[in-house]
Amino acid sequence: MDIAIIGASGYTGGDLVRLLLSHSKAKVTAVTSRKEEGKPLTSLHPGLKGLCSLSFTNPDVNDIDADFVFLAVPHTAAMNYAGILKERGIKCVDLSADYRLLKDVYEKTYGVSHTAYFKAPYGLCELHRDEIKGADFIANPGCFPTGATLAAAPVAKFAHTIIYDSKTGVSGAGTSPSSTNQYTNVADTFSAYKWTNHRHLVEMKQEAAGLGSKANCYFTPHLLPVNRGILTTAHILLDEPMSQEEVEKLYNDMYRDEFFVRIQNPTLAGVRGSNFCDVNVQCDGKRVVAVSAIDNLVKGASGQAIQNMNIMCGFDEKDGLLTAPLCP
Amino acid sequence: MDIAIIGASGYTGGDLVRLLLSHSKAKVTAVTSRKEEGKPLTSLHPGLKGLCSLSFTNPDVNDIDADFVFLAVPHTAAMNYAGILKERGIKCVDLSADYRLLKDVYEKTYGVSHTAYFKAPYGLCELHRDEIKGADFIANPGCFPTGATLAAAPVAKFAHTIIYDSKTGVSGAGTSPSSTNQYTNVADTFSAYKWTNHRHLVEMKQEAAGLGSKANCYFTPHLLPVNRGILTTAHILLDEPMSQEEVEKLYNDMYRDEFFVRIQNPTLAGVRGSNFCDVNVQCDGKRVVAVSAIDNLVKGASGQAIQNMNIMCGFDEKDGLLTAPLCP
Amino acid sequence: MDIAIIGASGYTGGDLVRLLLSHSKAKVTAVTSRKEEGKPLTSLHPGLKGLCSLSFTNPDVNDIDADFVFLAVPHTAAMNYAGILKERGIKCVDLSADYRLLKDVYEKTYGVSHTAYFKAPYGLCELHRDEIKGADFIANPGCFPTGATLAAAPVAKFAHTIIYDSKTGVSGAGTSPSSTNQYTNVADTFSAYKWTNHRHLVEMKQEAAGLGSKANCYFTPHLLPVNRGILTTAHILLDEPMSQEEVEKLYNDMYRDEFFVRIQNPTLAGVRGSNFCDVNVQCDGKRVVAVSAIDNLVKGASGQAIQNMNIMCGFDEKDGLLTAPLCP
Amino acid sequence: MDIAIIGASGYTGGDLVRLLLSHSKAKVTAVTSRKEEGKPLTSLHPGLKGLCSLSFTNPDVNDIDADFVFLAVPHTAAMNYAGILKERGIKCVDLSADYRLLKDVYEKTYGVSHTAYFKAPYGLCELHRDEIKGADFIANPGCFPTGATLAAAPVAKFAHTIIYDSKTGVSGAGTSPSSTNQYTNVADTFSAYKWTNHRHLVEMKQEAAGLGSKANCYFTPHLLPVNRGILTTAHILLDEPMSQEEVEKLYNDMYRDEFFVRIQNPTLAGVRGSNFCDVNVQCDGKRVVAVSAIDNLVKGASGQAIQNMNIMCGFDEKDGLLTAPLCP
């Protein structure tokens, strides 16, 4: 199956190529970028030299020749491609935020008009597998909502308050240099940002509600001096106290058959470069502490996108996603 | 004034010497260590070469000849010195946990018998200045409780639940090599530890109660890939909603005259090497997010110990503590 | 083909398992460790959970049941296994130093008697491929000599002096905690060690001589605050000046057909987790600066060991080694 | 004495303020910045909040009202101020490159015309103290040449070749965000840059010649994942072999009375934030390895600038420079 990656110059583009090298059925045949047109992919992703000889192209969306498209352009740009791809019958996973929320919620949250809205399944694979099967367009979840929701999902409906305290690596800030991702502003330090109003909170609320939870959800992200990974500490206040055993059973029941969710002590190194989400939980009586670790570029973006593709296309869900974590 | 540092081989010992170099009235005249006896201080703290020519000694506590002692030995070791120093009339700040809690709470929390108990003021300077003045023995607070309590203090009594989500640098784990502080286990990764049962929680509860708070307190620490610093994100659930203005007024009122508490965006780099605690706060309706940043070895240990000495001795509270943060 | 890894608790053991997961013909069937016997492999390598369900065993070397063995035990321990494996006709790559040098050179360099000496090809694949083919025992090169020799090889015989200034990540110091690999001693700092007498210099000299070079070789390693990787800056003083073009041609001629040696700007991130050695060169008239980057655990250890296995067994040299670098 | 810092928005400006806080005779009374005019100094240097209440101004150079000026603007900008300050009789240390080289060498190296040339002492204090005394304008040395020259100085005249292999922290790249100083391009990686043609080589050659050396000098810098510091490994090839004792004696003789040059194992942490240069040396027969460590922003810029001021003005050379290294 021929794959085109639209917007392949960023980190998620690079990781899609990296991971798809080991896919048994899908082959990347086009990587596009407006700015980098004509340059070899390896001019931006030199690690791939010898492994991928494609160059960036910049085709009109109507001329894209592929069986499957990953949309890796920023939000508001994705909607310019999505409708056309849908009409042309090309299956697609969109890594932007453009189709993750209901139209009005999206417009309010992102402060823009949605010019090509349609409803698409939310591609948090472990929670929405049935909707994803057979779909031709998937909204790939945000990185924070993926880790946060997987941490809290088994107990969400028993909680009155869920506080997601998340810590992310710097690659989440993208490839453009800025004071936010400058080494001297990040290394050997740590800070919170968007303490109360990060847009990903809206996705978290949507997913909590979808799980039958009536909890008030709060979210505070922090910037870690690491390249990759998000660790979310979910502080979950229960309506009624539970025992450690009861809580563990809920997690085991939900994740026992999930290959990519492992119940073990979550650390960023333990999932680095891989599609795993490591989760564990401790119950403090009325507070449950559930911690999850993901690689923000893999399970939080490119890996989950491939997992969605595999489900959509009836492939083995693990195909292309068996790269082991790189630890240390 | 002659100062002896008992147990000067560790990081807090090193930082006491570093900071006291600039004190106008106190001079370190003895540094002790059982293991390092006879070696120059700079064999363990080479940064101090040229600035301090002392060598480690190992005197009997009865022979210590100093006007003031900093006890920088581990908990359970400190109680072997404290009573004797008190009897000898030598003023002392104890950096261990041995005198921070009531006897029974200490014994239960640390799982040991206290063989030399007496009551000592808890040296969180901003909250207990009056008790510290004139005292001859101070229990210097734990690093986490210092940052956490200063973050939540202004609103603690209006809350029903306080969740301290703290992130600490590696120097908090001490100078002995272990898998916990091994570079390859810490760098480029992140994880939680002692998710529900860290001993410092007991200090936090004691201080919250002292502030008139009836809130349930929870505490989850995490290990950061940084050398120094603790950032605490306090998620504070209020009994009644407040406005941002009301909350800010509470913080300004409490900290306006506190030199070492600055209300500004807290980052670890912004306080690195200094005695400052940077705090800021945002109100989310029913949740207040208050974040504090301290250097765990300074305001969280050696710096606050000196601040306590200054208050005890009637010196300028800032003496020896005007070293600016090193940023970047 | 069934693979046993003797001494699989360390970083090289973990990386052998990680990489061999994608090998089409070899399957790890036994992982041994004296200390960890009985524990699951994932107790030490939690990243591999879900991917490898083996537990550590501790068989007598005579009972090891495998077609191929990777010896990943420390030097002086390896010689206790090597002779027996050889007698038993089990092919082997030894990752220790025990068979890299001539007997007398080894004994002088390592200060021990070699109790089971035999001559084995030195497994620097790009330079010794013909000797490796068909061999049943290979001495896998040291991490520093691999990167250093590949940097200087094309011009070594034209030089009178070669100075290898190498910078290594911390994983090279192994998994045992020590002050050397303690986070607070490594992070945000940098230093040289064994300035003139690191044992790997002997391997470098042996390889330079094998390339027909009469150059005086010097080596100074440094410890970097990174997990993985060695960057070697080879300062090569030529007998006669060369032009940039002449030098580049020598490098292109030697490496044009080598899949794992890429001529491009070497950075540690560009090879992280992969078996690539990135090399580039600039000529300063009488000085050539050649820089190479490898992952010390992969091309510097486990990856090159697999590459040797592939050559020995007539497999595709790239089998199991196509994992792309993880960047960032 | 009133001090103005022209161009105080960068890292060297911040460190000048930080260090001068402890100076007994000099007081910063003006900090200028074209871009940041009107903002408080702490908007860019938040660590200084509570310690310095100045705001950025943007006066005409003729209106600067100060007894002493630190010029901390980029090269080519400094020459617009220097002549006027000289005419106005205001003493000055220029941290740019504009007055470090002879006019023709400067113009060739920096590719610009020098519009206000005059000859100024080169402010490497340990080598040029006599010229600095009484001077009214000093060219503060480059960061790399400071560490490199101090490493090689005692043996430079006995060498035929000196290779400076330097490794610098990221703060050397300045405060403007770029792909060079982006966290994800620097953290957990390492690389060389300007392998043969960094402009600081010209200063190194000038200083080596001044020491009576006829050695060929080479320089290759590398970028470290650390905030501050330069470690230079000088590989010095001697005309005639020397013993370790002979070499050590040369270093001791040169640096015995230098407060800021300490002969001990050089590490970046050991000098972090301080004006020290730690140096050590090992002799390999015909090769001397001399390693130096400095903080690039202190001994490599702001600290040495203050040291120069102290010498120029007849102050204690250590005044304002006794801040101990921050380690860890």
Side-chain angles (χ1 to χ4, degrees):
Chain A
M1 191 170 77
D2 288 352
I3 307 283
I5 301 169
I6 299 185
S9 64
Y11 292 136
T12 52
D15 253 23
L16 283 166
V17 176
R18 176 178 71 86
L19 294 164
L20 288 168
L21 288 172
S22 71
H23 201 285
S24 73
K25 299 211 165 62
K27 189 179 163 60
V28 179
T29 53
V31 288
T32 86
S33 167
R34 274 184 310 164
K35 282 194 190 165
E36 310 294 338
E37 186 180 1
K39 292 191 194 162
L41 177 79
T42 55
S43 65
L44 286 185
H45 303 298
L48 297 173
K49 187 166 179 180
L51 299 170
C52 179
S53 57
L54 294 171
S55 288
F56 291 109
T57 56
N58 185 20
D60 188 278
V61 60
N62 288 296
D63 298 333
I64 283 170
D65 178 26
D67 304 305
F68 198 98
V69 164
F70 290 101
L71 262 180
V73 296
H75 72 86
T76 74
M79 62 178 83
N80 297 328
Y81 296 88
I84 300 170
L85 291 169
K86 207 172 164 65
E87 272 176 35
R88 292 187 55 207
I90 300 178
K91 286 186 176 178
C92 179
V93 172
D94 173 22
L95 284 81
S96 87
D98 283 0
Y99 294 87
R100 293 176 194 158
L101 304 169
L102 293 176
K103 186 168 187 287
D104 57 332
V105 180
Y106 173 84
E107 294 187 335
K108 189 176 162 198
T109 306
Y110 286 86
V112 291
S113 294
H114 202 310
T115 57
Y117 184 76
F118 54 82
K119 206 158 177 325
Y122 186 79
L124 187 40
C125 305
E126 285 74 13
L127 300 187
H128 299 280
R129 193 174 281 115
D130 288 344
E131 304 160 61
I132 299 164
K133 269 180 204 161
D136 58 359
F137 188 98
I138 294 292
N140 210 52
C143 51
F144 285 119
T146 294
T149 301
L150 289 173
V155 292
K157 71 178 168 193
F158 305 112
H160 62 79
T161 303
I162 304 177
I163 297 167
Y164 296 115
D165 189 295
S166 295
K167 301 87 178 175
T168 182
V170 187
S171 59
T175 51
S176 299
S178 73
S179 65
T180 302
N181 61 25
Q182 199 173 346
Y183 184 87
T184 40
N185 290 340
V186 177
D188 210 39
T189 188
F190 184 70
S191 58
Y193 66 100
K194 295 186 186 166
W195 299 14
T196 59
N197 62 347
H198 192 290
R199 295 190 286 214
H200 279 177
L201 173 59
V202 181
E203 286 180 51
M204 295 171 189
K205 287 179 171 176
Q206 172 181 287
E207 288 305 291
L211 285 157
S213 175
K214 294 180 177 166
N216 291 312
C217 293
Y218 301 102
F219 170 47
T220 302
H222 304 73
L223 185 62
L224 277 172
V226 310
N227 280 316
R228 286 171 178 256
I230 293 175
L231 190 128
T232 295
T233 308
H235 303 279
I236 303 163
L237 301 177
L238 300 174
D239 294 318
E240 303 294 335
M242 286 191 190
S243 70
Q244 176 70 14
E245 292 66 36
E246 287 172 300
V247 173
E248 284 183 10
K249 186 172 184 310
L250 290 169
Y251 279 76
N252 284 323
D253 286 353
M254 182 169 273
Y255 294 133
R256 186 175 294 114
D257 298 327
E258 291 297 341
F259 181 78
F260 290 115
V261 181
R262 305 185 297 192
I263 296 183
Q264 69 173 350
N265 182 41
T267 72
L268 297 190
V271 299
R272 185 163 45 216
S274 82
N275 198 50
F276 290 111
C277 175
D278 285 356
V279 179
N280 218 338
V281 67
Q282 286 192 20
C283 188
D284 218 1
K286 286 186 290 188
R287 179 186 65 146
V288 164
V289 190
V291 182
S292 69
I294 60 170
D295 185 318
N296 59 307
L297 297 178
V298 189
K299 183 62 178 170
S302 302
Q304 185 153 255
I306 293 170
Q307 191 181 353
N308 274 308
M309 176 191 78
N310 287 338
I311 298 172
M312 291 162 81
C313 299
F315 301 152
D316 179 348
E317 195 169 323
K318 303 186 293 293
D319 204 346
L321 296 173
L322 287 170
T323 300
L326 190 67
C327 178
Chain B
M1 192 171 74
D2 287 353
I3 306 282
I5 301 170
I6 300 184
S9 63
Y11 292 135
T12 51
D15 253 22
L16 282 167
V17 176
R18 175 177 72 85
L19 294 165
L20 288 169
L21 288 172
S22 71
H23 200 285
S24 72
K25 299 209 167 61
K27 187 179 164 62
V28 179
T29 54
V31 289
T32 87
S33 166
R34 272 186 310 165
K35 281 193 189 165
E36 310 293 339
E37 186 180 359
K39 291 190 195 162
L41 177 81
T42 55
S43 63
L44 286 185
H45 303 297
L48 297 173
K49 187 167 179 177
L51 299 170
C52 179
S53 58
L54 294 171
S55 288
F56 291 109
T57 56
N58 184 22
D60 188 277
V61 61
N62 287 295
D63 298 332
I64 284 169
D65 178 26
D67 303 305
F68 199 98
V69 164
F70 290 102
L71 262 180
V73 296
H75 71 86
T76 75
M79 63 178 82
N80 298 326
Y81 296 87
I84 300 170
L85 292 169
K86 205 172 167 66
E87 271 175 38
R88 293 188 55 207
I90 300 177
K91 286 186 176 179
C92 178
V93 171
D94 173 22
L95 285 81
S96 86
D98 283 0
Y99 294 87
R100 294 178 194 156
L101 305 170
L102 294 176
K103 185 167 187 287
D104 57 331
V105 179
Y106 174 83
E107 294 187 334
K108 189 176 162 197
T109 305
Y110 287 85
V112 291
S113 294
H114 202 310
T115 57
Y117 184 75
F118 54 82
K119 206 160 179 323
Y122 186 79
L124 189 39
C125 306
E126 285 74 14
L127 300 188
H128 298 280
R129 192 174 281 117
D130 288 344
E131 304 161 61
I132 298 165
K133 268 178 204 162
D136 58 359
F137 189 98
I138 293 293
N140 209 52
C143 51
F144 285 120
T146 295
T149 301
L150 290 174
V155 293
K157 69 178 169 193
F158 305 112
H160 62 77
T161 302
I162 304 176
I163 297 167
Y164 296 116
D165 190 297
S166 296
K167 302 85 176 174
T168 182
V170 187
S171 59
T175 51
S176 299
S178 73
S179 64
T180 302
N181 61 25
Q182 199 173 346
Y183 184 88
T184 41
N185 291 339
V186 177
D188 211 37
T189 187
F190 185 69
S191 58
Y193 66 100
K194 295 186 185 165
W195 298 13
T196 58
N197 62 346
H198 192 289
R199 295 189 287 212
H200 279 177
L201 174 58
V202 181
E203 286 179 53
M204 295 171 189
K205 286 179 173 175
Q206 172 182 288
E207 289 304 291
L211 285 157
S213 175
K214 294 181 176 165
N216 291 312
C217 294
Y218 300 101
F219 171 45
T220 302
H222 303 72
L223 186 62
L224 277 171
V226 309
N227 280 317
R228 285 170 178 257
I230 293 175
L231 191 129
T232 295
T233 309
H235 303 279
I236 302 163
L237 301 178
L238 300 173
D239 294 319
E240 303 294 335
M242 287 191 191
S243 69
Q244 177 69 17
E245 292 67 34
E246 288 172 298
V247 173
E248 282 183 11
K249 184 170 186 312
L250 291 168
Y251 279 77
N252 284 323
D253 285 353
M254 183 169 274
Y255 294 133
R256 186 175 293 115
D257 297 327
E258 292 296 342
F259 181 79
F260 291 115
V261 181
R262 304 185 297 192
I263 296 183
Q264 70 173 347
N265 182 40
T267 72
L268 297 191
V271 298
R272 186 162 45 212
S274 82
N275 198 51
F276 290 112
C277 175
D278 284 356
V279 179
N280 219 338
V281 67
Q282 287 193 20
C283 188
D284 215 2
K286 285 185 293 187
R287 180 187 65 145
V288 163
V289 191
V291 182
S292 69
I294 60 169
D295 185 318
N296 59 309
L297 297 179
V298 189
K299 182 63 178 171
S302 302
Q304 184 152 257
I306 294 170
Q307 191 180 353
N308 274 307
M309 177 191 75
N310 288 338
I311 299 173
M312 293 162 79
C313 298
F315 301 153
D316 178 349
E317 195 169 325
K318 304 187 291 296
D319 203 347
L321 297 172
L322 287 170
T323 301
L326 191 67
C327 178
Chain C
M1 192 171 75
D2 287 352
I3 306 282
I5 301 170
I6 299 184
S9 63
Y11 292 135
T12 52
D15 252 22
L16 282 165
V17 176
R18 175 177 72 87
L19 294 164
L20 288 168
L21 286 172
S22 72
H23 200 286
S24 73
K25 299 208 167 60
K27 187 179 164 62
V28 179
T29 54
V31 289
T32 86
S33 168
R34 273 185 310 165
K35 281 194 191 164
E36 310 294 339
E37 187 180 0
K39 291 190 195 162
L41 177 79
T42 54
S43 64
L44 286 185
H45 303 298
L48 297 172
K49 186 164 180 180
L51 299 170
C52 179
S53 57
L54 293 171
S55 289
F56 290 109
T57 57
N58 184 22
D60 188 276
V61 59
N62 288 294
D63 298 333
I64 284 169
D65 178 28
D67 303 304
F68 198 99
V69 163
F70 290 102
L71 261 179
V73 296
H75 71 86
T76 75
M79 62 177 83
N80 297 327
Y81 296 87
I84 299 170
L85 292 168
K86 205 171 165 70
E87 271 176 38
R88 292 187 56 205
I90 300 178
K91 287 187 175 178
C92 179
V93 172
D94 173 21
L95 284 81
S96 88
D98 283 1
Y99 293 88
R100 293 177 194 159
L101 304 169
L102 293 176
K103 185 168 188 288
D104 58 332
V105 180
Y106 174 84
E107 294 186 335
K108 191 176 159 197
T109 305
Y110 287 85
V112 291
S113 293
H114 202 310
T115 57
Y117 184 77
F118 54 83
K119 207 163 178 319
Y122 186 79
L124 189 40
C125 305
E126 284 74 14
L127 301 186
H128 299 280
R129 192 175 281 115
D130 288 344
E131 303 160 62
I132 298 165
K133 269 178 203 161
D136 58 359
F137 188 98
I138 293 292
N140 209 54
C143 52
F144 286 119
T146 294
T149 301
L150 290 173
V155 294
K157 70 179 169 192
F158 305 112
H160 62 79
T161 303
I162 304 176
I163 297 168
Y164 295 116
D165 190 298
S166 296
K167 300 87 177 174
T168 184
V170 186
S171 59
T175 50
S176 299
S178 73
S179 65
T180 302
N181 60 26
Q182 199 173 346
Y183 184 87
T184 41
N185 290 338
V186 177
D188 210 38
T189 186
F190 184 70
S191 59
Y193 66 99
K194 295 183 184 168
W195 299 13
T196 59
N197 62 347
H198 193 288
R199 295 189 289 214
H200 280 178
L201 174 58
V202 181
E203 286 179 52
M204 294 171 189
K205 288 179 171 175
Q206 172 181 287
E207 289 304 291
L211 285 157
S213 174
K214 292 177 177 166
N216 291 313
C217 294
Y218 300 101
F219 171 46
T220 301
H222 303 72
L223 185 62
L224 277 171
V226 310
N227 279 318
R228 286 170 176 257
I230 293 175
L231 190 130
T232 295
T233 308
H235 304 279
I236 303 163
L237 301 177
L238 300 173
D239 294 319
E240 304 292 338
M242 288 190 188
S243 69
Q244 176 69 16
E245 292 67 34
E246 287 173 300
V247 173
E248 283 183 9
K249 184 173 186 311
L250 290 169
Y251 278 77
N252 283 323
D253 286 352
M254 183 169 273
Y255 294 133
R256 186 176 294 115
D257 299 328
E258 293 296 343
F259 181 78
F260 290 115
V261 182
R262 304 185 296 193
I263 296 182
Q264 71 173 349
N265 183 40
T267 72
L268 296 191
V271 299
R272 185 162 45 215
S274 83
N275 198 49
F276 290 111
C277 175
D278 285 356
V279 179
N280 217 339
V281 67
Q282 287 193 21
C283 188
D284 213 2
K286 286 186 291 188
R287 179 186 66 145
V288 163
V289 190
V291 182
S292 69
I294 61 169
D295 184 318
N296 60 308
L297 297 180
V298 188
K299 183 61 178 173
S302 302
Q304 184 152 256
I306 294 170
Q307 191 181 354
N308 273 308
M309 177 191 77
N310 287 338
I311 299 173
M312 293 162 80
C313 298
F315 301 152
D316 179 347
E317 196 169 323
K318 304 187 292 295
D319 204 347
L321 297 172
L322 287 171
T323 300
L326 189 67
C327 179
Chain D
M1 193 172 76
D2 288 352
I3 306 282
I5 302 169
I6 300 184
S9 63
Y11 292 136
T12 52
D15 253 21
L16 283 167
V17 176
R18 175 177 72 86
L19 294 163
L20 288 168
L21 288 173
S22 70
H23 201 286
S24 72
K25 300 209 168 59
K27 187 179 163 62
V28 179
T29 52
V31 289
T32 85
S33 168
R34 273 186 309 166
K35 281 193 191 166
E36 311 293 338
E37 187 181 0
K39 291 191 196 161
L41 177 81
T42 54
S43 64
L44 286 184
H45 303 297
L48 298 172
K49 185 164 181 181
L51 299 169
C52 180
S53 57
L54 293 172
S55 289
F56 291 109
T57 56
N58 185 23
D60 188 276
V61 60
N62 288 296
D63 298 333
I64 283 169
D65 177 27
D67 303 305
F68 199 99
V69 163
F70 291 102
L71 262 179
V73 296
H75 71 85
T76 74
M79 60 178 83
N80 297 328
Y81 296 88
I84 299 170
L85 292 168
K86 207 175 165 62
E87 273 175 37
R88 294 188 52 206
I90 301 178
K91 287 187 176 179
C92 178
V93 172
D94 172 22
L95 285 81
S96 87
D98 283 1
Y99 293 87
R100 294 178 194 157
L101 305 169
L102 293 176
K103 184 166 190 287
D104 57 332
V105 180
Y106 174 84
E107 294 186 335
K108 191 176 161 197
T109 305
Y110 287 85
V112 290
S113 294
H114 202 310
T115 57
Y117 183 77
F118 53 83
K119 207 162 177 321
Y122 186 80
L124 189 41
C125 305
E126 285 74 15
L127 301 186
H128 299 280
R129 191 173 283 116
D130 288 344
E131 303 162 61
I132 299 164
K133 270 177 203 161
D136 58 358
F137 189 98
I138 294 292
N140 209 52
C143 52
F144 285 120
T146 294
T149 301
L150 290 173
V155 294
K157 70 179 170 194
F158 306 112
H160 61 78
T161 303
I162 305 177
I163 297 166
Y164 296 115
D165 190 295
S166 296
K167 302 87 177 173
T168 184
V170 187
S171 59
T175 49
S176 300
S178 74
S179 64
T180 302
N181 61 25
Q182 199 173 346
Y183 185 88
T184 41
N185 290 339
V186 177
D188 211 39
T189 187
F190 185 71
S191 58
Y193 67 99
K194 296 186 185 165
W195 299 14
T196 60
N197 62 346
H198 193 288
R199 295 188 288 210
H200 280 177
L201 174 57
V202 181
E203 286 179 52
M204 294 172 190
K205 287 179 171 174
Q206 171 182 287
E207 289 304 290
L211 285 157
S213 175
K214 295 180 175 164
N216 292 311
C217 293
Y218 301 101
F219 171 46
T220 302
H222 303 73
L223 186 61
L224 277 172
V226 309
N227 279 317
R228 286 170 177 257
I230 294 175
L231 191 130
T232 295
T233 308
H235 304 279
I236 303 163
L237 301 177
L238 300 173
D239 294 319
E240 304 294 336
M242 286 190 190
S243 69
Q244 177 69 16
E245 291 68 32
E246 288 173 299
V247 173
E248 284 182 9
K249 187 174 183 311
L250 290 168
Y251 279 76
N252 284 323
D253 286 353
M254 183 169 274
Y255 294 133
R256 185 175 295 116
D257 298 328
E258 293 296 343
F259 182 78
F260 291 116
V261 181
R262 304 185 296 192
I263 298 184
Q264 69 172 349
N265 183 41
T267 71
L268 296 190
V271 299
R272 184 163 45 215
S274 82
N275 198 49
F276 290 110
C277 174
D278 284 356
V279 179
N280 217 339
V281 68
Q282 287 193 22
C283 188
D284 215 3
K286 286 186 292 188
R287 178 187 66 144
V288 163
V289 190
V291 182
S292 69
I294 60 169
D295 184 317
N296 59 307
L297 297 179
V298 189
K299 183 62 178 169
S302 303
Q304 185 153 252
I306 294 170
Q307 191 181 355
N308 274 307
M309 177 191 75
N310 287 338
I311 299 173
M312 294 162 80
C313 299
F315 301 152
D316 179 348
E317 195 169 323
K318 304 186 291 294
D319 203 347
L321 297 171
L322 286 171
T323 300
L326 191 67
C327 179

